[in-house]
């Protein structure tokens, strides 16, 4: 089902993304406090005049008060691209009742809506069987949300994916810094993610890992035993969900989550987990706001 961009705008337009890093050199509309430029709209700093400086930016009021020639420096205005990398492997639809891919697409549109309202340019890329898949054009206005929503509505889960290798390949192809949100269940060996995340970090990207898990994956019931087929490999496993097995499962899941957080920390990324029975709006205004990534504008 295609996410509704009009509903997303109505729900999220009052919010802004507050993301550090990922600032490139391409001129744009997003103001970057703390980074100055010789031209702009909003003065941020003053420096002593040196021969060759643009005389149009001399601060004549300062000359009158201080008897010193000072040049205004302005808040830099850059285009910062918000990249949404969406995992569309078979793992994202392993259990139809969990609706992982649908939840991830709704979250992607929410981030896109908040991002474009905050002055970011947008680009969506599918991570799919074999690595990098379809990608959108670069959108800079809310009108682009319609095209993004259509693309998200066309997403289907299938095939196997090496997420870490796909991230490394993506980093190799993109040299201009920006912000990256990775939406995936991250049900892979955490160590396999590290080279790809390290490559993104080395390129100067600000990286945020948003993990989408189903309730049945987070908390399987004692009645969930039987034969299970790996959605990507096709391997079949027979499991009896005894209390001992469930306890061991929770222990391993906790270790997995801790390892993901450690990898994220080592590579300068953030990591947050959304369970599919949690409303996306509650996750955005709750967990992401708590982490300082989203605030009222």
């Amino acid at each position: 089902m295609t996410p509704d961009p009009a509903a997303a705008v109505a729900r999220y337009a009052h919010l802004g993304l507050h993301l550090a890093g990922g600032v490139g050199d391409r001129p744009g509309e997003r103001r970057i406090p703390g980074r100055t430029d010789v031209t702009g709209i909003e003065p941020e700093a003053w420096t002593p005049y040196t021969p060759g400086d643009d005389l149009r930016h001399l601060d004549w009021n300062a000359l009158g008060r201080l008897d010193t020639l000072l040049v205004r420096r302005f808040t830099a205005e850059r285009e910062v691209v918000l990249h949404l990398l969406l995992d569309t492997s078979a793992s994202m639809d392993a259990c139809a009742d969990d609706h992982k891919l649908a939840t991830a697409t709704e979250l992607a549109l929410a981030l896109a809506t908040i991002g474009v309202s905050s002055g970011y340019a947008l680009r969506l890329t599918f991570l799919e069987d074999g690595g990098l898949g379809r990608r959108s054009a670069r959108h800079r206005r809310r009108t682009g949300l319609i095209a993004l929503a259509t693309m998200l509505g066309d997403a289907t889960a299938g095939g196997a994916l090496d997420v870490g290798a796909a991230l490394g390949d993506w980093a190799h192809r993109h040299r201009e810094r920006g912000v990256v949100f990775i939406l995936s269940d991250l049900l892979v060996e955490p160590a396999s993610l590290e080279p790809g995340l390290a490559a993104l970090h080395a390129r100067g990207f600000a990286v945020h890992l948003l993990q989408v898990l189903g309730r049945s994956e987070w908390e399987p019931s004692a009645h969930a035993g039987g034969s299970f087929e790996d959605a990507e490999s096709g391997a079949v496993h027979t499991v009896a969900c005894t209390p001992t097995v469930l306890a061991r499962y929770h222990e391993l899941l906790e270790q997995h989550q801790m390892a993901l957080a450690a990898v994220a920390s080592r590579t300068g990324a953030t990591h947050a987990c959304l369970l599919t029975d949690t409303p996306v709006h509650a996750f955005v205004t709750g967990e992401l706001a708590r982490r300082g990534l989203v605030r009222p504008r």
Side-chain angles (χ1 to χ4, degrees):
M1 183 175 64
T2 301
D4 184 353
V9 169
R11 173 165 281 185
Y12 297 110
H14 70 290
L15 298 176
L17 286 180
H18 292 260
L19 309 173
V23 180
D25 296 321
R26 182 179 301 203
E29 299 180 359
R30 180 164 178 75
R31 295 181 185 178
I32 312 298
R35 183 168 176 172
T36 60
D37 209 343
V38 294
T39 61
I41 297 175
E42 182 179 329
E44 181 162 315
W46 285 257
T47 59
Y49 170 80
T50 58
D53 284 341
D54 192 331
L55 297 179
R56 291 174 298 177
H57 301 316
L58 282 173
D59 190 329
W60 298 108
N61 289 329
L63 176 62
R65 294 194 311 270
L66 305 174
D67 196 26
T68 301
L69 286 175
L70 296 177
V71 177
R72 288 171 293 185
R73 299 294 179 184
F74 300 88
T75 301
E77 297 175 353
R78 296 288 184 267
E79 179 178 83
V80 183
V81 183
L82 176 64
H83 295 278
L84 300 167
L85 307 186
L86 177 64
D87 180 351
T88 61
S89 66
S91 176
M92 293 295 287
D93 195 28
C95 178
D97 291 340
D98 282 335
H99 307 292
K100 284 195 292 186
L101 185 58
T103 300
T105 59
E106 183 184 347
L107 177 58
L109 185 60
L111 293 169
T113 303
I114 301 170
V116 77
S117 298
S118 304
Y120 290 88
L122 307 172
R123 174 160 274 171
L124 169 65
T125 301
F126 289 166
L127 306 180
E128 58 187 32
D129 189 10
L132 303 181
R134 291 175 54 197
R135 72 171 187 169
S136 72
R138 187 177 296 195
H139 298 288
R140 299 175 176 86
R141 298 289 184 269
R142 282 186 181 174
T143 52
L145 295 175
I146 298 174
L148 282 181
T150 300
M151 183 173 168
L152 288 167
D154 291 339
T156 56
L161 173 68
D162 183 335
V163 181
L167 294 178
D169 185 17
W170 191 93
H172 177 73
R173 300 181 186 212
H174 294 77
R175 298 181 179 273
E176 182 184 0
R177 291 181 292 176
V179 177
V180 177
F181 279 96
I182 301 160
L183 292 80
S184 169
D185 58 14
L186 299 178
L187 292 178
V188 298
E189 288 296 331
S192 71
L193 292 172
E194 192 152 0
L197 292 175
L200 290 169
H201 182 69
R203 293 284 193 208
F205 288 96
V207 181
H208 305 278
L209 283 168
L210 300 185
Q211 183 181 18
V212 180
L213 287 179
R215 174 59 65 179
S216 68
E217 295 168 329
W218 187 262
E219 197 172 13
S221 74
H223 305 290
S227 295
F228 296 89
E229 180 178 349
D230 188 299
E232 295 190 13
S233 70
V236 177
H237 306 276
T238 301
V239 178
C241 288
T242 64
T244 300
V245 169
L246 288 174
R248 178 59 176 161
Y249 177 88
H250 286 297
E251 179 184 350
L252 292 173
L253 179 60
E254 182 179 4
Q255 292 173 5
H256 179 80
Q257 295 302 101
M258 291 175 63
L260 284 176
V263 167
S265 178
R266 287 195 297 269
T267 56
T270 61
H271 169 243
C273 183
L274 166 63
L275 298 183
T276 55
D277 59 353
T278 299
V280 168
H281 179 262
F283 176 74
V284 170
T285 58
E287 181 65 15
L288 296 189
R290 184 181 67 81
R291 292 172 177 269
L293 302 180
V294 174
R295 300 176 190 169
R297 294 200 302 144

